[in-house]
């Protein structure tokens, strides 16, 4: 089985694919607005601290288990379990993980499809097709269905092409493009009137707000979502890494890229909001907080672009194209989780698995669209608020308590022979055994109570 599996052809390929999974809608619009309303640079420091001390160790747990098993989460957790009971729990965890990954994709595809529609709307407007442009931003059911199916089709096509030809190839193309577009947009927005005020709001630290316990827990939840943890995505990408690679370094690179893009996105979104304010667009809610979430992306920013004339259309196209890329490199990593499982556990071909599962997920997305008010928020809360932390907890327990320390060391030594002398081995086993599970339980308890 292992010999017919795909493998990333290079370190760069893996880092682009895993960073592609991590960098998504969460980074580009979730992080900046959260930072802005919660203490600016102080939130950033808390976020950085939590990412390196807790999310990075959890990421490493998935990468090490995945690379050791060279298999999907279900087989991997079964492999590292010493007895039947733990094997069964491991299998259930893996199965729940792929169900959650599929459900995340079902709502993510909807949001991503809005990005593509807004991107094309700017093009239509540039071409003078105003009524088409308006339809593309209309949120009507036909538009939503059409673009959800288009986005799902793109995701399925890339996953059908496999690990090297699909995931690696497209991530290695799209991620550098994303970075270049992001930098260009930042440079442009910073030249506009009002931008510096936004930058100040983003960068001036307000420690009182950033150090509240509720916020720390919220920041940790975002860090887990942002690094795609818990659902077996990083585990399956880890399973495609060659044994020669140094895992702590690779995990570190992915974490640094993820954080850097989030921070950079803040330098785009916050100044852009204040440029909008300067141009007469409302950016505060009635309660006085900064507008965030969907209203920010689909109302405030388009209103800003509309005040900028022709340039605004180009900037709008670039911005929504950037969002579409970020979403696509994340969505492929979600679909790979159930697809890899179906190929490896049930012997399906990649093409059949990708089409059947991708198709089934598109049906779930359709159901969400047809019953939007009841299902959309529910699926998001069920997957990201409750299931991801719970699954992250299980992966840490398997890495910290179930799997033998000696085997973990052997696995790490393959690409990093002197690992025992390094800082990683002195700290990580304790983190993953005690601190990570405890803190994740705290997040879970908080989200259940709150
Ligand atoms: N990390 C992605 C983001 O920040 O948007 C979201 C995500 C991707 C979550 C892949 C879960 C996953 F399996």
């Amino acid at each position: 089985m292992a010999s017919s599996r795909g493998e990333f052809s290079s370190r760069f390929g893996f880092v682009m694919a895993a960073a592609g999974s991590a960098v998504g809608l969460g980074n580009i619009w979730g992080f900046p607005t959260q930072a802005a309303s919660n203490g600016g640079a102080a939130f950033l420091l808390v976020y950085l601290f939590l990412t390196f001390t807790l999310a990075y160790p959890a990421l490493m747990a998935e990468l090490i288990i995945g690379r050791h098993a060279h298999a999907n989460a279900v087989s991997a957790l079964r492999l590292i379990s010493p007895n039947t009971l733990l094997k069964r729990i491991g299998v259930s965890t893996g199965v729940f993980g792929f169900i959650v990954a599929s459900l995340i994709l079902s709502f993510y595809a909807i949001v991503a499809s809005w990005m593509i529609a807004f991107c094309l709307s700017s093009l239509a407007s540039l071409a003078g097709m105003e009524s088409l442009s308006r339809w593309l931003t209309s949120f009507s059911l036909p538009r939503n269905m059409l673009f959800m199916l288009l986005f799902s089709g793109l995701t399925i096509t890339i996953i059908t092409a496999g690990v090297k030809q699909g995931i690696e190839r497209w991530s290695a193309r799209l991620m550098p493009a994303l970075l270049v577009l992001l930098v260009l947009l930042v440079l442009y927005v910073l030249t506009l009137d009002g931008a510096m005020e936004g930058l100040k709001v983003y960068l001036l630290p307000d420690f009182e707000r950033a150090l509240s316990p509720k916020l720390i827990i919220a920041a940790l939840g975002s860090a887990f979502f942002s690094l795609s943890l818990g659902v077996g995505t990083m585990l399956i990408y880890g399973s495609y890494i060659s044994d020669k690679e140094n895992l702590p370094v690779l995990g570190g690179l992915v974490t640094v890229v993820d954080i850097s893009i989030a921070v950079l996105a803040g330098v785009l979104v916050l100044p852009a909001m204040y440029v909008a304010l300067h141009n007469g667009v409302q950016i505060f809610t009635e309660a006085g907080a900064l507008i965030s979430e969907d209203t920010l992306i689909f109302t405030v920013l388009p209103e800003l672009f509309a005040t900028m004339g022709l340039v605004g259309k180009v900037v709008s196209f670039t911005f929504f194209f950037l969002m579409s890329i970020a979403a696509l490199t994340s969505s492929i990593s979600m679909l790979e989780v159930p697809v890899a499982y179906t190929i490896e556990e049930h012997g399906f071909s990649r093409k059949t698995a990708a089409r059947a599962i991708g198709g089934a997920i598109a049906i779930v997305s359709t159901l969400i669209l047809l019953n939007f008010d009841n299902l959309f928020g529910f699926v998001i809360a069920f997957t990201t608020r409750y299931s991801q932390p719970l699954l992250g907890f299980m992966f840490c327990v398997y890495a910290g308590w179930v799997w033998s320390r000696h085997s973990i060391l052997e696995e790490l030594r393959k690409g990093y022979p002197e690992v025992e002398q390094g800082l990683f081995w002195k700290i990580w086993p304790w983190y993953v055994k005690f601190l990570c599970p405890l803190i994740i339980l705290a997040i879970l308890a908080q989200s259940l109570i709150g």
Side-chain angles (χ1 to χ4, degrees):
M1 185 170 67
S3 62
S4 64
R5 296 184 90 239
E7 190 172 89
F8 291 116
S9 63
S10 65
R11 172 179 290 206
F12 177 76
F14 165 75
V15 174
M16 286 301 106
S21 167
V23 173
L25 303 175
N27 300 55
I28 302 187
W29 113 61
F31 174 80
T33 47
Q34 240 185 335
S37 21
N38 294 307
F43 178 87
L44 179 60
L45 289 180
V46 172
Y47 185 84
L48 284 180
F49 178 76
L50 292 176
T51 301
F52 279 107
T53 53
L54 291 164
Y56 169 71
L59 167 68
M60 288 312 301
E62 286 198 36
L63 291 183
I64 300 170
I65 296 176
R67 216 260 310 257
H68 174 73
H70 284 300
N72 65 86
V74 174
S75 320
L77 293 177
R78 188 166 45 212
L79 181 81
I80 62 170
S81 302
N83 61 45
T84 320
L85 178 67
L86 287 169
K87 280 186 199 302
R88 284 211 185 121
I89 300 176
V91 168
S92 314
T93 303
V95 169
F96 187 50
F98 87 64
I99 294 173
V100 173
S102 309
L103 284 175
I104 293 182
L105 180 53
S106 71
F107 78 76
Y108 211 81
I110 295 176
V111 183
S113 75
W114 298 339
M115 302 296 168
I116 301 187
F118 269 69
C119 175
L120 292 182
S121 160
S122 322
L123 269 192
S125 174
L126 268 173
M129 297 186 266
E130 290 306 332
S131 65
L132 175 64
S133 169
R134 266 195 304 280
W135 180 76
L136 286 166
T137 56
S138 69
F139 290 94
S140 64
L141 186 64
R143 185 214 66 167
N144 286 346
M145 278 298 300
L146 181 71
F147 282 90
M148 181 276 289
L149 290 175
L150 177 72
F151 184 80
S152 304
L154 281 175
T155 307
I156 294 170
T157 309
I158 296 180
I159 287 304
T160 304
V163 180
K164 255 190 216 130
Q165 295 303 317
I167 300 174
E168 177 172 348
R169 189 164 174 218
W170 282 97
S171 303
R173 283 178 183 171
L174 295 176
M175 286 304 287
L178 178 141
L179 190 64
V180 171
L181 291 181
L182 187 58
V183 170
L184 286 178
L185 281 174
V186 167
L187 292 178
Y188 176 68
V189 167
L190 287 182
T191 63
L192 302 174
D193 289 341
M196 288 306 139
E197 203 183 323
L199 201 58
K200 265 193 226 144
V201 172
Y202 180 42
L203 294 179
L204 285 183
D206 173 354
F207 284 100
E208 217 170 287
R209 280 170 108 169
L211 292 178
S212 86
K214 211 171 162 188
L215 191 81
I216 293 181
I217 288 173
L220 188 63
S222 326
F224 268 70
F225 181 75
S226 181
L227 273 177
S228 313
L229 297 177
V231 291
T233 295
M234 287 302 179
L235 190 148
I236 195 72
Y237 275 16
S239 78
Y240 301 136
I241 302 177
S242 126
D243 286 347
K244 298 191 303 284
E245 297 293 351
N246 179 329
L247 288 178
V249 168
L250 285 192
L253 282 173
V254 172
T255 310
V256 167
V257 174
D258 184 54
I259 290 184
S260 311
I261 302 255
V263 172
L264 200 58
V267 185
L268 170 68
V269 173
L270 263 294
M273 285 183 84
Y274 279 80
V275 173
L277 180 70
H278 184 266
N279 291 7
V281 177
Q282 195 190 335
I283 66 165
F284 295 101
T285 60
E286 277 178 11
L290 268 179
I291 288 175
S292 59
E293 298 174 2
D294 52 339
T295 327
L296 165 67
I297 296 288
F298 300 114
T299 310
V300 175
L301 294 183
E303 279 181 31
L304 164 68
F305 301 140
T307 64
M308 292 159 63
L310 187 65
V311 178
K313 291 178 188 171
V314 177
V315 174
S316 168
F317 168 78
T318 316
F319 177 78
F320 286 109
F321 187 58
L322 173 89
M323 294 300 267
S324 308
I325 293 179
L328 188 60
T329 52
S330 294
S331 69
I332 54 179
S333 75
M334 295 168 202
L335 183 57
E336 181 62 13
V337 175
V339 167
Y341 164 80
T342 317
I343 297 172
E344 292 171 7
E345 292 276 311
H346 300 289
F348 282 87
S349 74
R350 176 167 277 276
K351 192 165 149 186
T352 312
R355 288 188 181 170
I357 298 170
I361 295 173
I363 293 177
V364 178
S365 303
T366 307
L367 293 177
I368 297 178
L369 280 174
L370 290 174
N371 198 354
F372 195 81
D373 292 342
N374 291 325
L375 289 181
F376 187 66
F378 171 76
V379 175
I380 295 181
F382 174 74
T383 51
T384 63
R385 259 181 95 174
Y386 304 108
S387 308
Q388 267 193 295
L390 181 69
L391 285 160
F393 169 82
M394 292 303 288
F395 281 114
C396 289
V397 167
Y398 268 76
W401 296 88
V402 175
W403 196 14
S404 85
R405 220 175 128 107
H406 177 72
S407 313
I408 299 182
L409 190 58
E410 288 294 292
E411 184 54 44
L412 284 166
R413 274 205 195 112
K414 287 181 188 163
Y416 181 13
E418 61 286 359
V419 62
E420 251 176 309
Q421 280 79 55
L423 192 61
F424 180 81
W425 189 250
K426 295 198 171 65
I427 301 175
W428 180 81
W430 300 105
Y431 264 104
V432 85
K433 193 165 185 156
F434 298 106
L435 223 62
C436 290
L438 269 178
I439 305 263
I440 296 172
L441 275 190
I443 305 178
L444 207 61
Q446 197 265 349
S447 49
L448 283 173
I449 299 164

